Amino acid sequence: MSVLIDGKGFAATLRARVAGHVSGLGVVPGLAVVLVGDDPASAVYVRNKGIQTREAGMNSFEHRLPADTSESALLGLIHRLNADPAVHGILVQLPLPAHLNADLVINAIDPAKDVDGFHILNVGRLGTGQKAMVPCTPLGCLMLLRDRLGSLAGLDAVVIGRSNIVGKPMAQLLLAESCTVTIAHSRTRNLPDVCRRADILVAAVGRPEMVKADWIKPGATVIDVGINRITRDGKSRLVGDVDFAGAAQIAGAITPVPGGVGPMTIACLLANTLTACCRAHHLPEPEGLTA
Ligand code: NDP
């Protein structure tokens, strides 16, 4: 039976570390979250982000805009937040309504305040090994991997999924750790064989329990990013992209869903906001909060 990677516990420790640094900083970090429309899942995420931001001793500025907000109105808000010295981090909750160009909006954020790490400049910096704001979910996965394995150098890593928010930045981070990285996706041939090579397997697909036990190399470290709501035995529940019960018999260590990667995402958002605040005020950056 595998070791369970306790993302929930790790995230609580990380949030406490962030709060400890914030209390002695001499300036209050501020995170602005912009929600356009009334998607219920996004509203829950935004509420949780606000609660955890305040619990860490930071200011939370929430901007809820109607679904029919124009692009120019949204860009106007972002320009105001860019210019506001009390705001160190800006996050635009995705997805945006279809009439808004997400790339245009994200790239309007000051890259120094881009705590999601989605601005094209931060993407380029990450890809070229420069100091970047790193996307929160892959950063959280990296922290869990480092904590579990120490050095990742030379390990074979397979990332299933090539999205801009998880798969690609995850692969970049693993490459920077000197892993040998394979990115798999929906057109990958012989996916089970590809996965069986992995010392580190990261699943970021969005397909419930797709990765089966016999896809996993014995002893591998499995990071399950997927969050999928299913109904089983008449009950609604969350499952990952990995068939947890089977995989836990084979893997060396594995993240559960829920309680694995999920809680790391907001904890890393707080860490990124603290990092952005330290950089804005030329304060020393606490160690271990970024890649
Ligand atoms: P996307 O839908 O943007 O990307 C999914 C990726 O999976 C694509 O690259 C797609 O390939 C690939 N894929 C789809 N089907 C298959 C298949 N049958 N075999 C191999 N690859 C496949 O999703 P995200 O990256 O945004 O999210 C992935 C999962 O992670 C979701 O469950 C999401 O809810 C979860 N998530 C969790 C977070 C957390 O905080 N824990 C944060 C963000 C996401 P292709 O490119 O070829 O289409």
Side-chain angles (χ1 to χ4, degrees):
M1 187 74 184
S2 325
V3 170
L4 205 63
I5 299 176
D6 179 14
K8 192 174 171 192
F10 194 104
T13 306
L14 181 58
R15 289 199 307 273
R17 275 190 56 213
V18 169
H21 284 294
V22 167
S23 66
L25 204 59
V27 48
V28 182
L31 172 64
V33 177
V34 180
L35 174 63
V36 185
D38 42 22
D39 175 59
S42 294
V44 171
Y45 290 137
V46 167
R47 197 172 60 236
N48 288 340
K49 283 168 186 168
I51 291 169
Q52 294 191 27
T53 303
R54 287 186 289 276
E55 281 176 358
M58 303 185 187
N59 286 326
S60 169
F61 308 105
E62 288 169 35
H63 297 267
R64 291 166 191 268
L65 307 179
D68 61 356
T69 297
S70 69
E71 204 158 79
S72 63
L74 179 55
L75 291 172
L77 171 61
I78 290 179
H79 290 140
R80 287 196 296 283
L81 296 173
N82 283 344
D84 185 343
V87 172
H88 303 95
I90 303 170
L91 179 152
V92 176
Q93 185 67 42
L94 299 177
L96 286 172
H99 69 283
L100 298 170
N101 179 338
D103 287 338
L104 189 76
V105 171
I106 297 301
N107 289 327
I109 297 172
D110 177 347
K113 297 189 178 187
D114 169 38
V115 282
D116 252 344
F118 296 159
H119 189 289
I120 194 71
L121 210 64
N122 282 313
V123 174
R125 285 176 180 152
L126 180 63
T128 52
Q130 299 176 59
K131 199 163 159 179
M133 296 304 301
V134 178
C136 302
T137 300
L139 178 59
C141 296
L142 179 68
M143 287 183 185
L144 295 178
L145 284 166
R146 281 180 177 157
D147 182 62
R148 169 79 199 140
L149 297 170
S151 169
L152 310 183
L155 296 177
D156 280 317
V158 173
V159 180
I160 320 176
R162 56 175 165 178
S163 72
N164 290 336
I165 64 169
V166 189
K168 283 182 199 153
M170 185 75 246
Q172 293 285 6
L173 288 169
L174 291 167
L175 189 60
E177 296 289 314
S178 297
C179 292
T180 303
V181 183
T182 303
I183 307 177
H185 45 78
S186 66
R187 308 294 295 272
T188 296
R189 282 181 279 170
N190 302 326
L191 183 61
D193 284 345
V194 171
C195 293
R196 277 190 280 267
R197 294 204 300 263
D199 302 306
I200 294 170
L201 181 61
V202 181
V205 186
R207 293 190 182 265
E209 301 175 330
M210 184 187 85
V211 176
K212 305 300 179 200
D214 66 355
W215 298 21
I216 293 167
K217 178 174 171 175
T221 303
V222 177
I223 304 290
D224 189 352
V225 182
I227 301 177
N228 308 290
R229 185 162 289 284
I230 62 161
T231 303
R232 182 172 291 154
D233 304 329
K235 282 189 192 156
S236 169
R237 52 179 297 192
L238 292 181
V239 298
D241 291 339
V242 178
D243 173 15
F244 181 83
Q249 305 300 320
I250 309 291
I254 185 167
T255 56
V257 177
V261 173
M264 290 299 292
T265 298
I266 298 185
C268 286
L269 175 66
L270 303 180
N272 277 352
T273 304
L274 173 57
T275 299
C277 179
C278 291
R279 290 179 187 171
H281 292 272
H282 307 289
L283 295 167
E285 288 177 35
E287 278 190 16
L289 292 192
T290 191

